[in-house]
């Protein structure tokens, strides 16, 4: 199973970090692979929200990376599952606040369900490691905004 995990501490309260992550339309501000993203009309805020997302794929070609919010606990947890695209991992953002700063942990898991998925595991693992590493971009973006 492919697995990737990363943590950062952001000098912002958990409520601010959580609200920013909950709105998937913020993704292009810190995730360079996101070409475009919109929330599906009529989908709710929070659990059940579906985001239609185009990502940079191999050779720069766009690929689907749509996802659905599966859990949303304000200021502490946000979880999702990818519902379109070549790989469909699940992800969680865990947040904990201390002294006005938030430690954010991003975890991606992908259990391959086919032989092709198992063969692609090293490539998927590398892509997922790159994705969780983008937390550094999120930290830089949020900390550069006025408090």
């Amino acid at each position: 199973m492919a697995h990737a995990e990363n943590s950062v501490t952001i000098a912002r309260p958990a409520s601010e970090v959580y609200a920013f992550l909950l709105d998937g339309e913020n993704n292009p501000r810190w995730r360079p692979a996101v070409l475009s993203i919109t929330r599906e009309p009529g989908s709710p805020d929070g659990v059940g929200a579906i985001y239609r997302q185009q990502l940079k794929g191999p050779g720069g070609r766009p690929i689907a990376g749509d996802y659905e919010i599966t859990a949303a606990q304000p200021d502490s947890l946000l979880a999702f599952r990818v519902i379109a695209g070549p790989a469909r991992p699940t992800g969680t953002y865990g947040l904990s606040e201390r002294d006005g700063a938030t430690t954010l942990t991003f975890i991606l898991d992908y259990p391959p369900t086919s032989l092709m998925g198992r063969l692609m595991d090293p490539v998927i693992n590398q892509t997922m490691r790159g994705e969780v590493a983008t937390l550094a971009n999120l930290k830089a973006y949020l900390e550069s905004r006025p408090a």
Side-chain angles (χ1 to χ4, degrees):
M1 168 166 47
H3 173 85
E5 184 171 336
N6 190 24
S7 295
V8 296
T9 299
I10 302 171
R12 292 288 185 263
S15 60
E16 182 180 333
V17 176
Y18 177 85
F20 187 84
L21 290 170
L22 184 62
D23 182 355
E25 292 182 354
N26 286 321
N27 286 349
R29 292 181 168 94
W30 65 282
R31 293 180 53 221
V34 177
L35 298 171
S36 66
I37 187 167
T38 57
R39 192 172 86 202
E40 185 172 282
S43 73
D45 287 331
V47 175
I50 295 174
Y51 286 90
R52 302 291 176 199
Q53 178 174 241
Q54 289 289 305
L55 303 170
K56 292 178 191 171
R61 292 179 312 211
I63 59 171
D66 304 349
Y67 68 92
E68 177 183 16
I69 304 287
T70 58
Q73 298 170 5
D75 310 341
S76 65
L77 176 76
L78 188 60
F80 63 91
R81 66 183 179 98
V82 176
I83 57 173
R88 300 188 183 186
T90 59
T92 60
Y93 294 101
L95 300 88
S96 63
E97 184 176 338
R98 182 174 175 177
D99 300 327
T102 302
T103 298
L104 176 65
T105 300
F106 183 18
I107 300 170
L108 284 171
D109 286 307
Y110 175 70
T113 57
S114 67
L115 175 59
M116 181 59 85
R118 287 189 292 280
L119 293 173
M120 294 296 297
D121 197 60
V123 172
I124 293 167
N125 216 350
Q126 180 180 5
T127 301
M128 287 175 25
R129 282 193 307 270
E131 189 64 32
V132 299
T134 62
L135 283 185
N137 299 343
L138 177 64
K139 173 182 172 65
Y141 181 82
L142 289 177
E143 289 180 353
S144 71
R145 296 176 10 163

